[in-house]
Structures are given as C-alpha cells and as structure tokens.
Amino acid sequence: MLLLRCPLLLLLLPLGSRPQKLPTRDEELFQMQIRDKAFFHDSSVIPDGAEISSYLFRDTPKRYFFVVEEDNTPLAVTVTPCDAPLEWKLSVQELPEEASGEGSGEPEPLEQQKQQITNEEGTELFSYKGNDVEYFVSSSSPSGLYQLDLLSTEKDTHFKVYATTTPESDQPYPELPYDPRIDVTSLGRTTVTLAWKPSPTASLLKQPIQYCIVINKEHNFKSLCAVEAKLSSDDAFMMAPKPGLDFSPFDFAHFGFPSDNNSGKERGFLKSSKFGRQTSSKPRVDLHKVCVGNKNIFTVSDLKPDTQYYFDMFAVNTNTNMSTAYVGTFARTKEEAKQKTVELKDGKVTDVFIKRKGAKFLRFAPVSSHQKVTFSVHSCLDAVQIQVRRDGKLLLSQNVEGVRQFQLRGKAKAKYLIRLKGSKKGASVLKILATTRPNKQSFPSLPEDTRIKAFDKLRTCSSVTVAWLGTQERNKFCIYKREVDDNYSEEQKKREQNQCLGPDTRKKSEKVLCKYFHSQNIQKAVTTETIRGLQPGKSYLLDVYVIGHGGHSVKYQSKLVKTRKFC
C-alpha cells in the first residue's frame, strides 16, 4: 500500500515479531492516532511528523525501522536523550526493486523485507554518542529501509524521537533567535535578572510560544525532557505570573532548596514495566522550573547569597508541546555585606540593634593585662544569643533574656570577639557592657522572677495593692501608672515590653513613687506597695523600674490592673 501524503513510513520491527503491513500517512487516521496517545505508548510506532516518548533499559538496544519509498525525499530525524547519554545510529538499506518503484503495485511482503534486514547491515548514515539533542537532516534522501538503533549503557532512561519527511512545513520545534544566549542583566545578593531574545516562531510566525526557566545549583540541562526526568509528576508546570508581576519560584517551603513536605512524592521515572523489572527511586534534586508566558525578562528572587546557580531557558510551542533549549548560563549571587565590627570600650555601655534573624559582631581588646573579664548583657525585647571567642576559641554560647552577666577568665593581650544573634520573632534591641574591673557594674541585679503580683482581695474602687521581688543588692525602685482603655489587650502590652526604656521616657504625672529596697535574706526580698487615687472601674498599666548604681534601669514585666466599679 502506497503512502497518501508523504513517503515516510515508521514502525517498530522487533526481532521475532509477526509480519505486519506498513502503515500509511492517511491524514484522518494520522490525526486519530495522534489524539490517542496510548496507540504509540508501548508499541514504538512513530507516525510521520509527531514526537513520541519511549524508554530504554540499560544495555538493552532498541531498534526502529521506517521506509522512504521515493528518492530525493527530505528527511529529518531528531533524538532527544532525557536523563542519560544515548548511543544511536541511523542506517539505510536498499528496498527490493518491487517495493521501491512508482507505486503501481503492492509492496513486497514484510516477511521478505524482514529477511533482507536480517541478512544485511545497511549503509550507516549517521551516529552519535552523548546527551545532546542531535539531528540528522537531509534535503534529498534515497528511498530505502531506514534503521534506527538506540542504546543506553549508563542506566534505564527515557528518550524522545521525532521524524518527518516534511521538515520545512512542519517546524514543530520553536526556532532559536540569532543570539540564543541568556543574558544576566542584574545580579544581587538574593536576586538574578535574566533577559533573552524572543523566538522567531513567536515574533515572525505568530505561533503560541511560552518560555520556561529552570534554576538549579548543579549543572545546565540540554533539554526540557532532561529537566522533567529530574522532577516528579507532582512538580507540574507553574502558572505564568500575572502581567507586570515577576513570580518567584522560591516562595515555597522547599526552595533554598530543601523540602519539608515531599515525603511520598519521590519516585523513579518508571515504577514498573511489563517485564516485571523495577527501577529504584531517585533522590529529589534542588531544581525548579517556572513558565513565565511570553515574557523576555524575568527576575529570580529569594536565592542564597554567594551561591552559584545554573539557569536554562526553553521555548515551548504550546500547540505541539515541543521545546527548544536556549544556551544556558550560570551566575554567582553577591556576597552578604560584610558586618562591621563594633569596638567595645572598657566599662562603657553600648546600644545594639539587630534586624530579625540578623547578627552583629563586637570586639573587645583590653588595653591592660587582666585576670577576669565581665560581659553584662541586657536584652530589651526577646531573647538573643551571645557567643564569645577569645583569640578564636569559643568560650561562651548562651541565650540571654532580660539581664545576664558572664565572667570569664582573662589572658594577657587577649582579644574577644562577641557575636550577637537576633530573635526569629522580630528585631532585637540590647545593651552590652564589657569590663576588666569586677566592681564596675552598670546594670542592676534582678531576681529570677520579674513579674508584678496584684492582690485581688485588696483591690478597691480607688486603689490596688501590688508586690514584686528584689535582690540582696540595694537598688532604687520606681513605680509608674498609666490609665488605659478597657479593651487594652495583652498583645498591646507585649509590644510595649521594651525593658531598656527607662523612667526618663515617662510623664511626670505617671510617677507614683521611688524607694530603695533590699534584703540579705533572699527569701524575704519582697516589697509591697498600694497605689491610691485611682478612678472606679478603670484599667491601669503598672510598671516597676529598678535603677542600678550606674544609672541604667531595667523594667519589670508590666501589670494590667482594674479598680472595682462598685464599693
């Protein structure tokens, strides 16, 4: 039977298979076959002008045959390796004279053609070994029986094959621009901006083309097929960003690139086969793919500083779902700005501000020999972490909440490097003092419990009675009050818990009293105070400040109280 539309005929002729007729390029049948993907899934029958996907077991060759019935026929064959290099060879044999004529009669039976194939090797036209997308193109091919042999010696793998006798009119793969490189137009610590020239298939032929970017930290990819082999089926193409908005592929928990929720999603490219052979699961790689529509510029964000990334761009024809790779590139993000080291002066309090999850470095170099060195830290908000190294050796690593004091053994001409790490919840504010004089204490000592206790039974319409703990050190305590709304919440109170804000920030009208207090018996270091002159049924925020000998104050935890409405 002769070809109706074109002289290319593709079919699998496995060794030992039963004779079958060569299919023809009947357009109605061809379109039906293309729509029915299962028709080609496991038969290796390749229609003229359509790309098929198949697989190879390691060290198990696969062979395809197709017939070109007329001389001087254009021919193009494209083989796309996915996740492993391939060895492939294209060869041709002469058709029997009856089968290569002008089509006036029936072709020679397949059984006779098969016998001829078995007895003859044919003429090799092209061979290739590697993982590039490689082509065989001829504007004038002789009639004959063409044989395509493929082999993977590395591992089981996917691959794609496309063949056509009308390469000029088909053009299923998007065409690359004259300059197919990806340009890095902007480089930051966490961002990289990429730009590329549009495919002529989109700009000239007006075919629907979208661009897909692939980002990873290992290597560039030769094909989108290779990318998809690395991704599980759960990592489907992402939707294109809204116009005017760049989309970050790293806005996911698993990008930087570890995943917290990929259990059960990892799989090999093939779970099982009809031969009962199974492949092992492949580990997930740090790889992301995002399609950005028809944009020609895109900013990738949320990258890690001082890290090398590889970027690949693929033009995808959305009609055929076939793609062409641009020339990939790579870039290293900029380093984090080097932290300035703050010099601490002996006996002087230094204020430090740290961004959320940030860090600050301080240096203390005593000018004289010393036996001991004392570090006093006052964390104004949430807990911070302090690390102290002496000449590179780690001496201290602690979390600090409130006021803490650390005394370390000194060493002649020693230099101390202090690293302060902020809270994950928000910005951190703290005060730090370093001294070689043990009697130089600017911060007041605090009890372990800095809460203020209110006695409900002693509450009246115009007064409240409160108590708080002191220490064995004689300190000055000042108590302040402020009327607040009835809907004043614990969240508002928490936002005002900056322990470093002293009495000097308060209004004089809010001051209740100041007094000195201490007790040598720590069990009796408790003081009480009754605040009078309050309004019935009103809410008040009470603050107690303890002021040290150096004039620095520390605020206890605020207490919200309310007077009785009826007495």
Side-chain angles (χ1 to χ4, degrees), residues 33 47 116 182 251 259 278-279 299 304 321 340 365 368 382 386 453 459 526 565:
Q33 293 170 347
Q116 184 176 351
I182 306 171
D251 288 338
S259 172
Q278 295 189 357
T279 62
T299 298
K304 291 183 178 180
N321 204 32
K340 291 183 179 180
S368 58
D382 295 312
I386 180 173
K453 178 177 175 58
R459 188 167 56 102
V526 182
K565 193 171 185 179

Side-chain angles (χ1 to χ4, degrees), residues 365-499:
V367 294
S368 58
S369 59
H370 55 284
Q371 293 183 335
K372 293 181 180 180
V373 60
T374 303
F375 293 95
S376 299
V377 181
H378 181 192
S379 178
C380 308
L381 299 171
D382 295 312
V384 297
Q385 184 190 61
I386 180 173
Q387 287 185 345
V388 179
R389 296 179 184 271
R390 183 185 64 203
D391 299 331
K393 182 180 179 181
L394 182 65
L395 302 179
L396 171 70
S397 182
Q398 290 277 338
N399 287 328
V400 176
E401 195 168 7
V403 176
R404 289 288 300 275
Q405 183 175 293
F406 307 98
Q407 197 169 72
L408 305 175
R409 182 174 296 178
K411 186 178 180 181
K413 298 182 180 180
K415 293 180 175 60
Y416 300 86
L417 181 67
I418 303 98
R419 180 180 184 267
L420 298 169
K421 186 176 181 181
S423 168
K424 295 180 180 179
K425 299 178 182 178
S428 300
V429 179
L430 58 93
K431 295 176 181 288
I432 185 169
L433 176 141
T435 181
T436 57
R437 294 167 285 176
N439 296 327
K440 183 73 173 180
Q441 300 299 330
S442 293
F443 297 135
S445 59
L446 289 174
E448 290 186 5
D449 190 346
T450 59
R451 292 176 297 175
I452 303 171
K453 178 177 175 58
F455 299 95
D456 186 65
K457 291 183 178 180
L458 300 178
R459 188 167 56 102
T460 71
C461 291
S462 60
S463 68
V464 293
T465 300
V466 295
W468 64 90
L469 299 177
T471 65
Q472 293 173 313
E473 180 183 330
R474 187 172 184 267
N475 283 317
K476 181 181 179 181
F477 294 87
C478 294
I479 187 166
Y480 284 73
K481 64 174 173 62
R482 176 165 64 93
E483 185 178 336
V484 295
D485 296 333
D486 287 340
N487 59 359
Y488 187 85
S489 64
E490 287 293 323
E491 187 64 30
Q492 289 175 282
K493 187 177 75 173
K494 187 177 181 181
R495 288 199 297 266
E496 297 176 2
Q497 284 299 325
N498 188 338
Q499 292 186 337

Side-chain angles (χ1 to χ4, degrees), residues 27-38:
E27 191 63 27
E28 183 178 351
L29 177 62
F30 169 71
Q31 293 298 335
M32 179 276 292
Q33 293 170 347
I34 293 300
R35 287 192 297 270
D36 185 8
K37 298 297 183 183

Side-chain angles (χ1 to χ4, degrees), residues 298-326:
F298 185 75
T299 298
V300 183
S301 59
D302 291 338
L303 303 175
K304 291 183 178 180
D306 193 27
T307 303
Q308 182 159 299
Y309 290 91
Y310 294 85
F311 303 95
D312 291 292
M313 172 65 57
F314 300 94
V316 182
N317 187 324
T318 56
N319 280 344
T320 65
N321 204 32
M322 296 166 76
S323 60
T324 305
Y326 279 64

Side-chain angles (χ1 to χ4, degrees), residues 97-113:
E97 188 173 336
E98 295 86 345
S100 57
E102 295 300 319
S104 57
E106 288 293 322
E108 183 176 300
L110 273 173
E111 189 62 38
Q112 296 181 26
Q113 296 181 24

Side-chain angles (χ1 to χ4, degrees), residues 82-193:
C82 290
D83 53 346
L86 295 181
E87 298 179 22
W88 64 275
K89 179 179 69 172
L90 182 67
S91 56
V92 62
Q93 300 178 26
E94 288 187 7
L95 285 173
E97 188 173 336
E98 295 86 345
S100 57
E102 295 300 319
S104 57
E106 288 293 322
E108 183 176 300
L110 273 173
E111 189 62 38
Q112 296 181 26
Q113 296 181 24
K114 174 184 168 185
Q115 185 65 34
Q116 184 176 351
I117 295 165
T118 306
N119 297 335
E120 298 181 19
E121 282 299 318
T123 303
E124 183 177 314
L125 300 177
F126 184 81
S127 65
Y128 175 75
K129 181 178 181 180
N131 59 356
D132 282 326
V133 180
E134 196 55 72
Y135 313 87
F136 169 80
V137 180
S138 174
S139 60
S140 179
S141 297
S143 62
L145 192 60
Y146 285 74
Q147 177 176 307
L148 179 63
D149 294 289
L150 301 103
L151 177 68
S152 172
T153 59
E154 190 173 294
K155 60 179 179 179
D156 298 351
T157 182
H158 274 111
F159 67 94
K160 294 186 177 184
V161 175
Y162 172 78
T164 181
T165 55
T166 55
E168 291 298 324
S169 60
D170 283 1
Q171 295 186 343
Y173 295 99
E175 186 180 347
L176 289 176
Y178 68 92
D179 182 1
R181 295 173 298 180
I182 306 171
D183 295 321
V184 177
T185 61
S186 177
L187 194 63
R189 291 192 296 273
T190 60
T191 60
V192 173
T193 299

Side-chain angles (χ1 to χ4, degrees), residues 516-555:
Y516 286 90
F517 163 71
H518 78 289
S519 176
Q520 294 300 325
N521 185 348
I522 194 66
Q523 302 297 328
K524 297 182 178 181
V526 182
T527 185
T528 60
E529 195 64 46
T530 299
I531 296 114
R532 307 179 189 278
L534 307 178
Q535 298 297 316
K538 297 293 183 181
S539 297
Y540 293 88
L541 193 67
L542 303 182
D543 288 307
V544 171
Y545 298 88
V546 55
I547 302 169
H549 301 299
H552 293 281
S553 63
V554 179
K555 186 175 74 169

